[in-house]
Amino acid sequence: MARISQRAMNNVVIIAMLIMIALFNLDSLLPKKNTIQTRSLLPEDAYVLKIEHDNNSLERIGQQWRQKGPDTSLTVTPDEQFSHWQRAELNPVTEVPESIISTQPYVVVVWLAGNSNGNVYAIYPNTSPVLIKFENNWYTLTNTDLDKLLPWTL
């Protein structure tokens, strides 16, 4: 029977350990698919300061919310409006009709605490379901209605 020297045995152990490390980290070495997942409209655990659209806004005043704008007779209270923003979800869309892109969207900016730039949403209201472009990705709005998010657009 052939005997392996101690140096050769050390090399076998080292190579075996390197192979095990590579196997355990194989998923991090492979390229990730760039798939878009369903996400909430507002980032998780984000502290929202203000939601702006045209001359209207939903602002945080302490622990309460206040709606500002030219229309004072809205059907949705400020707290209800913000709860709709919290529960709204975005589902990814693969194809968007060209006719939609040429229409004028509602541009809504959501200001978050700690961010110097707001999150900008382009909302296309005349679609069914409502289409939203956010961070160069297209989504459909689910779990709420546009008239609850932006009650001043009625």
Side-chain angles (χ1 to χ4, degrees):
M1 177 155 70
R3 295 202 51 146
I4 298 178
S5 69
Q6 187 169 354
R7 184 174 180 191
M9 189 57 154
N10 286 345
N11 288 340
V12 168
V13 170
I14 290 171
I15 290 172
M17 291 299 226
L18 290 175
I19 290 171
M20 285 177 42
I21 290 170
L23 288 175
F24 289 137
N25 293 310
L26 189 60
D27 62 335
S28 65
L29 298 175
L30 296 175
K32 301 268 190 265
K33 292 182 181 177
N34 198 6
T35 58
I36 305 166
Q37 302 279 331
T38 299
R39 60 188 295 175
S40 62
L41 184 60
L42 296 176
E44 295 293 323
D45 300 325
Y47 192 80
V48 179
L49 300 174
K50 184 191 284 189
I51 299 170
E52 293 179 317
H53 169 248
D54 288 341
N55 294 329
N56 301 292
S57 66
L58 178 66
E59 299 176 345
R60 182 182 294 273
I61 305 297
Q63 294 298 316
Q64 301 293 318
W65 289 93
R66 149 177 96 181
Q67 295 164 330
K68 284 181 63 179
D71 188 6
T72 57
S73 61
L74 299 176
T75 59
V76 178
T77 66
D79 290 327
E80 285 177 313
Q81 184 180 1
F82 184 69
S83 71
H84 282 279
W85 275 90
Q86 285 181 312
R87 73 170 167 244
E89 291 182 350
L90 299 175
N91 290 323
V93 175
T94 54
E95 293 184 26
V96 177
E98 289 293 324
S99 61
I100 300 299
I101 298 172
S102 63
T103 62
Q104 188 67 25
Y106 295 152
V107 177
V108 178
V109 180
V110 177
W111 296 95
L112 304 174
N115 292 359
S116 58
N117 296 326
N119 289 355
V120 179
Y121 299 89
I123 301 174
Y124 292 81
N126 299 326
T127 59
S128 181
V130 174
L131 287 173
I132 296 180
K133 187 175 184 182
F134 176 62
E135 294 178 344
N136 289 324
N137 294 315
W138 289 92
Y139 301 93
T140 57
L141 179 67
T142 58
N143 219 20
T144 190
D145 295 320
L146 184 59
D147 60 336
K148 304 289 189 215
L149 294 180
L150 304 173
W152 45 74
T153 59
L154 298 176

